[in-house]
Amino acid sequence: MFDKATGAFRHKTETSVQLQLTGQEPVEAFVFHVNGERLTDLLNDPRAFIPVRAASGEMMIVAKTHIASMIETNIEDTTAANDENNEPMKRAPKSFDPYATLRISPNVDNDELRAAFKARIKSVHPDTVASLGLDEDLAKAASQATQKIIYAYRKIMRERKVSDDGGVDDVAETASQAL
């Protein structure tokens, strides 16, 4: 999916969850979100509704205000059958996508990569969260997000075997030390 706001490709994935809507029993379902995005990010983004696929295959659009709880599970996708013996396919474990973490497409140049890294670090840095006076749990989450972004940036740079003269590694090092 192409995100017009950021000008980058956002790859979607499904996560199996136990979803409980207000006043209803919990159901097994799959929610759609951007690779590398946590369920809390999905629930806190500005959209009022999210697409959900029930384990039975039925698609629903759910208002976030009606979600009582959402717990990540490891259920099988029963709508996709294995061709050989018609058994449900097991989902492959999630792999880390550094491009999705930085919210960029793999074909960006190094300058765009650095800009995306700096923007993501600025948005989730623990000092930024601390200045807002938010809960300690959010500060810990910001610290983890910062570490994940630094890891993603360094992984891409290692893959590209690029020496960084732009000082971004200094920014990454400073961000690491602040944690």
Side-chain angles (χ1 to χ4, degrees):
M1 175 178 98
F2 186 76
D3 184 356
K4 292 179 185 177
T6 62
F9 286 95
R10 298 175 66 178
H11 303 281
K12 295 284 186 176
T13 189
E14 289 184 354
T15 299
S16 59
V17 297
Q18 182 179 34
L19 180 67
Q20 182 168 4
L21 301 176
T22 307
Q24 295 183 11
E25 292 296 317
V27 295
E28 302 296 329
F30 296 91
V31 294
F32 303 89
H33 59 91
V34 176
N35 285 343
E37 180 181 59
R38 300 169 302 175
L39 291 178
T40 55
D41 296 334
L42 174 69
L43 293 173
N44 290 320
D45 72 15
R47 297 177 296 167
F49 299 89
I50 58 171
V52 175
R53 182 170 56 85
S56 65
E58 176 185 26
M59 286 298 299
M60 303 178 285
I61 303 298
V62 176
K64 290 181 185 177
T65 56
H66 290 102
I67 298 174
S69 69
M70 184 183 301
I71 302 169
E72 190 170 356
T73 62
N74 291 321
I75 63 171
E76 296 175 351
D77 185 354
T78 57
T79 60
N82 186 332
D83 291 338
E84 293 176 12
N85 52 14
N86 217 13
E87 291 181 6
M89 288 177 24
K90 298 206 186 289
R91 294 197 173 272
K94 294 179 195 175
S95 61
F96 180 74
D97 183 358
Y99 294 98
T101 300
L102 294 176
R103 298 181 181 164
I104 57 172
S105 121
N107 58 359
V108 300
D109 65 22
N110 289 338
D111 291 333
E112 292 174 297
L113 172 63
R114 288 182 190 99
F117 169 75
K118 287 180 179 180
R120 291 285 292 137
I121 284 292
K122 186 177 181 181
S123 68
V124 300
H125 196 278
D127 292 343
T128 304
V129 173
S131 70
L132 299 173
L134 299 175
D135 190 30
E136 185 178 317
D137 290 339
L138 292 175
K140 287 180 184 178
S143 176
Q144 290 172 344
T146 300
Q147 291 172 354
K148 186 175 180 182
I149 291 166
I150 291 169
Y151 175 76
Y153 172 76
R154 287 183 174 163
K155 182 174 182 177
I156 293 170
M157 294 304 280
R158 276 191 310 271
E159 288 172 359
R160 293 181 179 195
K161 295 182 182 167
V162 173
S163 65
D164 185 13
D165 299 327
V168 176
D169 254 352
D170 295 337
V171 173
E173 194 60 39
T174 303
S176 295
Q177 292 171 359
L179 305 176

